[in-house]
Amino acid sequence: MKLELQGITKKFGDFTANDAIDLVVQPGTVHALLGENGAGKSTLMNVLFGLYDADGGQILLDDEPRVFAGPGDAMDAGIGMVHQHFMLVPVFTVAESVMLGNEDVTGPAKLLDLNAARAKVKELSDRFGFAIDPDAVIEDLSVGAQQRVEIIKALSRDAQILILDEPTAVLTPQETDELLDIVGQLRDAGTAVVLITHKLREVKAIADDITVIRRGKVVGTAEPTASQEELASLMVGRDVSMTVAKDAADPGDPMLQVHNLTVVDGVTEITLLDGVTFEIRAGEILAVAGVQGNGQTELAEAIAGLTPTDAGHVTLDGEDITGHSIRKVLDAGVGFVPEDRTEDGIVANFTIINNLILDIYDRAPYSTRGTLNGKVLVDNAEKQVENFDVRTTSINALTGSLSGGNQQKVVLARELSRDLKLLIASQPTRGLDVGSIEFVHKRIIEERDNGAAVLIVSSELDEVYALADRIAVMYHGRIVDIVPPDTDRDTLGLMMAGAHKEEEAA
Ligand code: ADP
Ligand code: MG
């Protein structure tokens, strides 16, 4: 079925999230919808899926104008959508999940009994190589497998147009390859696939057509043969270099030493961090790779003093800082860029000026004998806003009113403005555009070259490769191994999926 969007406009109050967007997706093709965070991709797909009413424009299926009052209408018309956050019930089996919401469908896809659902799952699984057991329980499945269940669910309702919203954000490299493989098969079977992503590598690997949106508008289309640089500059609106030049590290003495660090969840008693041991030397970047939820967050927070530890030691430049409060840890020369910036990184109802001095307002030059030096604060804010290209109407704006990427720049500007022995940065460029990523990576490498030890936690392998002098891979709360930065993607991917280093003896 051919999909056509004509002039779709969607506003949230005064803000135009989609501005007269045109898009044509032919059956049997993969159409990549490429754009930075906040470009308006999910909004457009939510309009298509009947979740939002458009303020203008129309949707045509096989040249017929259609109006969807809700997702039920869209599904009946043959549209399936796999959301970024899956919506499966953990205790159901696959067949039950697929039947759920499918039993009251009027149409050919009605699945009234569990056996019919089971047979449907098996048939689809065999046809497309999903490798999914109809009787498996959802919570026992990997994230990648759960995502395949969502796709099966859409296909079981005869979806001829399949929307995948950032499907690879939660996958290992191997799972990503498997998914792209499935997408290719669906395309070959005649499905029209809309693949939403901001990952250029995937777009180039699978897309037949590429539409790039920026700030709610279509800014161009591209061929899959376009280079990553070309696609990136379309996304951002100016030239960007995709690789930051970096000299080899020249590490000094051990700066951060972590020994047997262990964190147990107080409520569930699950071991989140399981006896982690490593060190980072001055002038060295250790990047922690892993699929989200394998202890990386807890590691960064435990070292920073945000999460209480149950065993082990953290030593900074020879001083034991285990169990110190975050305030004391920061004072000891640690910069901390938290994963959850709104929770831990900024005070939303403080101005940019004040967020830029959160940990340092009480000392020179920002204060003298307990009084803030207004002029110094303003000068500092103006300089940092300029340096980090924080997009704001004023340094007096409340930081909470900025977009996520600009809030992140405020956090980075503040943390990097002190003299650091150790920089801990979790997902440092999440939500930033490609151009800002380049800038932030440069600054992190400068910190290293100034002699700081740097601990990066990132779920983006491209970021790990761009920054790491050594790569630690975490799985189930443990460091599986620490490997050199030229280790290939496949090997890292296997380690991220829990496969240990080959037996030395073998
Ligand atoms: P993308 O999927 O490309 O990252 P979105 O479509 O989610 O972007 O968001 C586009 C813009 O619309 C963002 O600036 C976002 O803050 C805004 N937006 C999205 N949903 C809403 C909403 N329900 N209310 C207000 N603003 C929204
Ligand atoms: Mg989105």
Side-chain angles (χ1 to χ4, degrees):
M1 197 158 55
K2 174 181 158 195
L3 164 71
E4 185 163 3
L5 302 178
Q6 290 180 342
I8 296 287
T9 294
K10 174 66 194 169
K11 296 184 177 173
F12 297 110
D14 290 341
F15 177 76
T16 306
N18 288 162
D19 191 353
I21 292 191
D22 296 328
L23 185 76
V24 178
V25 187
Q26 300 291 351
T29 66
V30 176
H31 197 120
L33 193 57
L34 182 65
E36 292 169 352
N37 279 307
K41 307 177 297 289
S42 294
T43 301
L44 184 68
M45 291 303 114
N46 287 335
V47 167
L48 170 59
F49 200 54
L51 284 162
Y52 292 151
D53 282 332
D55 295 295
Q58 60 176 351
I59 300 167
L60 298 93
L61 298 182
D62 280 341
D63 302 319
E64 290 286 327
R66 303 292 290 263
V67 176
F68 305 135
D73 279 3
M75 287 189 269
D76 287 349
I79 299 174
M81 179 157 175
V82 177
H83 295 270
Q84 201 164 342
H85 304 285
F86 314 144
M87 301 181 173
L88 299 169
V89 183
V91 295
F92 278 18
T93 67
V94 171
E96 285 164 347
S97 307
V98 167
M99 197 171 77
L100 183 75
N102 230 343
E103 66 277 65
D104 57 359
V105 182
T106 49
K110 204 186 269 185
L111 289 178
L112 278 174
D113 63 72
L114 197 56
N115 278 334
R118 211 184 255 136
K120 189 77 189 174
V121 171
K122 181 151 190 337
E123 186 249 319
L124 287 168
S125 184
D126 290 349
R127 176 143 49 109
F128 295 111
F130 286 123
I132 294 288
D133 172 4
D135 296 316
V137 177
I138 297 296
E139 64 188 354
D140 296 337
L141 297 177
S142 69
V143 172
Q146 291 188 23
Q147 188 175 56
R148 297 201 291 277
V149 173
E150 290 275 18
I151 297 174
I152 289 175
K153 198 167 168 177
L155 296 178
S156 73
R157 307 187 63 147
D158 291 340
Q160 294 170 55
I161 297 169
L162 185 65
I163 305 163
L164 301 171
D165 193 353
E166 305 254 7
T168 62
V170 289
L171 302 182
T172 65
Q174 274 82 2
E175 286 175 320
T176 299
D177 288 347
E178 284 163 26
L179 176 74
L180 295 182
D181 222 50
I182 287 169
V183 167
Q185 289 188 52
L186 292 170
R187 166 196 36 212
D188 295 345
T191 309
V193 181
V194 183
L195 177 71
I196 301 182
T197 183
H198 62 266
K199 296 188 183 171
L200 304 170
R201 175 189 310 278
E202 293 160 12
V203 168
K204 285 181 58 63
I206 189 87
D208 300 296
D209 300 293
I210 302 169
T211 295
V212 183
I213 64 175
R214 185 187 338 134
R215 298 185 191 190
K217 292 191 173 138
V218 173
V219 291
T221 56
E223 300 288 323
T225 49
S227 69
Q228 294 208 19
E229 280 76 12
E230 285 169 292
L231 293 173
S233 62
L234 258 182
M235 272 166 73
V236 185
R238 61 184 170 80
D239 285 348
V240 263
S241 91
M242 298 296 294
T243 44
V244 176
K246 168 165 159 278
D247 295 329
D250 182 18
D253 293 332
M255 183 61 93
L256 174 71
Q257 290 167 300
V258 173
H259 182 70
N260 190 34
L261 201 62
T262 301
V263 172
V264 179
D265 186 302
V267 178
T268 62
E269 295 186 5
I270 291 171
T271 302
L272 301 169
L273 205 60
D274 191 1
V276 167
T277 299
F278 65 92
E279 64 177 36
I280 310 179
R281 298 200 273 162
E284 183 187 43
I285 300 176
L286 179 76
V288 180
V291 177
Q292 273 171 52
N294 278 282
Q296 305 94 309
T297 309
E298 288 76 15
L299 175 63
E301 293 187 349
I303 296 171
L306 264 183
T307 293
T309 56
D310 294 272
H313 284 281
V314 180
T315 310
L316 179 71
D317 201 9
E319 184 197 351
D320 189 339
I321 57 165
T322 319
H324 285 195
S325 67
I326 174 126
R327 182 64 207 240
K328 280 182 81 176
V329 171
L330 296 181
D331 280 350
V334 176
F336 181 61
V337 177
E339 181 174 324
D340 186 343
R341 67 177 77 100
T342 48
E343 181 85 358
D344 305 317
I346 59 155
V347 180
N349 58 5
F350 277 18
T351 60
I352 295 175
I353 301 177
N354 288 338
N355 266 291
L356 282 168
I357 51 154
L358 273 191
D359 346 305
I360 44 176
Y361 64 90
D362 57 349
R363 62 200 69 170
Y366 308 101
S367 294
T368 325
R369 288 182 295 279
T371 308
L372 288 171
N373 297 325
K375 171 105 176 48
V376 177
L377 302 190
V378 167
D379 289 350
N380 174 59
E382 278 171 353
K383 190 179 85 199
Q384 301 286 16
V385 162
E386 156 113 34
N387 282 348
F388 279 80
D389 188 24
V390 178
R391 308 273 172 90
T392 176
T393 47
S394 158
I395 54 173
N396 290 301
L398 298 184
T399 308
S401 72
L402 303 178
S403 74
N406 284 301
Q407 292 180 16
Q408 180 77 344
K409 290 184 205 168
V410 170
V411 175
L412 284 156
R414 181 186 67 222
E415 296 303 307
L416 293 177
S417 68
R418 290 178 288 133
D419 276 338
L420 300 181
K421 290 180 174 174
L422 169 68
L423 171 66
I424 304 172
S426 278
Q427 317 295 352
T429 58
R430 182 176 283 171
L432 296 191
D433 65 47
V434 191
S436 303
I437 292 173
E438 180 194 358
F439 172 76
V440 169
H441 284 176
K442 258 193 206 136
R443 287 291 289 109
I444 288 174
I445 291 165
E446 273 170 38
E447 278 313 310
R448 176 198 78 170
D449 292 343
N450 288 338
V454 180
L455 176 67
I456 299 291
V457 171
S458 179
S459 50
E460 302 272 350
L461 268 192
D462 285 333
E463 177 156 83
V464 167
Y465 279 122
L467 294 175
D469 298 312
R470 289 186 300 145
I471 303 173
V473 181
M474 285 194 76
Y475 180 72
H476 284 190
R478 292 170 181 263
I479 290 186
V480 180
D481 203 355
I482 298 182
V483 295
D486 58 359
T487 306
D488 64 48
R489 258 169 207 275
D490 286 350
T491 309
L492 276 187
L494 286 173
M495 290 165 65
M496 286 162 69
H500 287 254
K501 200 165 56 164
E502 285 166 61
E503 295 294 320
E504 311 268 311

PDB file of all heavy atoms in Angstrom, residues 37 41-43 84 165-166 196, ligand 2:
ATOM      1  N   ASN A  37      17.159  14.807  17.408  1.00  0.00           N
ATOM      2  CA  ASN A  37      16.188  14.807  18.493  1.00  0.00           C
ATOM      3  C   ASN A  37      15.379  16.079  18.444  1.00  0.00           C
ATOM      4  O   ASN A  37      15.925  17.165  18.298  1.00  0.00           O
ATOM      5  CB  ASN A  37      16.904  14.741  19.842  1.00  0.00           C
ATOM      6  CG  ASN A  37      17.301  13.327  20.171  1.00  0.00           C
ATOM      7  OD1 ASN A  37      16.472  12.428  20.151  1.00  0.00           O
ATOM      8  ND2 ASN A  37      18.573  13.135  20.460  1.00  0.00           N
ATOM      9  N   LYS A  41       9.927  13.994  14.247  1.00  0.00           N
ATOM     10  CA  LYS A  41       9.699  12.691  13.612  1.00  0.00           C
ATOM     11  C   LYS A  41       8.566  11.920  14.297  1.00  0.00           C
ATOM     12  O   LYS A  41       7.630  11.456  13.642  1.00  0.00           O
ATOM     13  CB  LYS A  41      10.994  11.849  13.643  1.00  0.00           C
ATOM     14  CG  LYS A  41      12.207  12.552  13.068  1.00  0.00           C
ATOM     15  CD  LYS A  41      13.470  11.700  13.202  1.00  0.00           C
ATOM     16  CE  LYS A  41      13.908  11.387  14.618  1.00  0.00           C
ATOM     17  NZ  LYS A  41      14.456  12.526  15.376  1.00  0.00           N
ATOM     18  N   SER A  42       8.662  11.790  15.614  1.00  0.00           N
ATOM     19  CA  SER A  42       7.633  11.016  16.322  1.00  0.00           C
ATOM     20  C   SER A  42       6.277  11.694  16.214  1.00  0.00           C
ATOM     21  O   SER A  42       5.249  11.024  16.056  1.00  0.00           O
ATOM     22  CB  SER A  42       7.999  10.857  17.804  1.00  0.00           C
ATOM     23  OG  SER A  42       9.151  10.064  17.947  1.00  0.00           O
ATOM     24  N   THR A  43       6.281  13.020  16.265  1.00  0.00           N
ATOM     25  CA  THR A  43       5.017  13.747  16.138  1.00  0.00           C
ATOM     26  C   THR A  43       4.340  13.406  14.815  1.00  0.00           C
ATOM     27  O   THR A  43       3.144  13.101  14.775  1.00  0.00           O
ATOM     28  CB  THR A  43       5.276  15.269  16.219  1.00  0.00           C
ATOM     29  OG1 THR A  43       5.892  15.554  17.477  1.00  0.00           O
ATOM     30  CG2 THR A  43       3.988  16.058  16.094  1.00  0.00           C
ATOM     31  N   GLN A  84       8.917   3.632  20.392  1.00  0.00           N
ATOM     32  CA  GLN A  84      10.252   3.594  20.967  1.00  0.00           C
ATOM     33  C   GLN A  84      10.231   2.830  22.296  1.00  0.00           C
ATOM     34  O   GLN A  84      11.137   2.083  22.609  1.00  0.00           O
ATOM     35  CB  GLN A  84      10.726   5.030  21.179  1.00  0.00           C
ATOM     36  CG  GLN A  84      12.209   5.149  21.276  1.00  0.00           C
ATOM     37  CD  GLN A  84      12.646   6.597  21.078  1.00  0.00           C
ATOM     38  OE1 GLN A  84      11.905   7.419  20.566  1.00  0.00           O
ATOM     39  NE2 GLN A  84      13.849   6.897  21.488  1.00  0.00           N
ATOM     40  N   ASP A 165       9.782   3.419  15.209  1.00  0.00           N
ATOM     41  CA  ASP A 165      10.277   4.681  15.774  1.00  0.00           C
ATOM     42  C   ASP A 165      11.542   4.427  16.589  1.00  0.00           C
ATOM     43  O   ASP A 165      11.484   3.853  17.674  1.00  0.00           O
ATOM     44  CB  ASP A 165       9.190   5.329  16.643  1.00  0.00           C
ATOM     45  CG  ASP A 165       9.531   6.781  17.001  1.00  0.00           C
ATOM     46  OD1 ASP A 165      10.658   7.230  16.692  1.00  0.00           O
ATOM     47  OD2 ASP A 165       8.683   7.454  17.593  1.00  0.00           O
ATOM     48  N   GLU A 166      12.664   4.843  16.063  1.00  0.00           N
ATOM     49  CA  GLU A 166      13.977   4.666  16.703  1.00  0.00           C
ATOM     50  C   GLU A 166      14.151   3.246  17.239  1.00  0.00           C
ATOM     51  O   GLU A 166      14.442   3.055  18.424  1.00  0.00           O
ATOM     52  CB  GLU A 166      14.146   5.673  17.854  1.00  0.00           C
ATOM     53  CG  GLU A 166      13.933   7.114  17.423  1.00  0.00           C
ATOM     54  CD  GLU A 166      15.218   7.908  17.333  1.00  0.00           C
ATOM     55  OE1 GLU A 166      16.310   7.322  17.473  1.00  0.00           O
ATOM     56  OE2 GLU A 166      15.117   9.124  17.100  1.00  0.00           O
ATOM     57  N   ILE A 196      12.373   5.373  11.482  1.00  0.00           N
ATOM     58  CA  ILE A 196      12.785   6.637  12.096  1.00  0.00           C
ATOM     59  C   ILE A 196      14.092   6.428  12.831  1.00  0.00           C
ATOM     60  O   ILE A 196      14.233   5.465  13.591  1.00  0.00           O
ATOM     61  CB  ILE A 196      11.738   7.126  13.109  1.00  0.00           C
ATOM     62  CG1 ILE A 196      10.404   7.326  12.421  1.00  0.00           C
ATOM     63  CG2 ILE A 196      12.215   8.398  13.798  1.00  0.00           C
ATOM     64  CD1 ILE A 196       9.342   7.860  13.337  1.00  0.00           C
TER      65      ILE A 196
HETATM   66 MG    MG B   2      11.075  10.648  18.543  1.00  0.00          MG
END
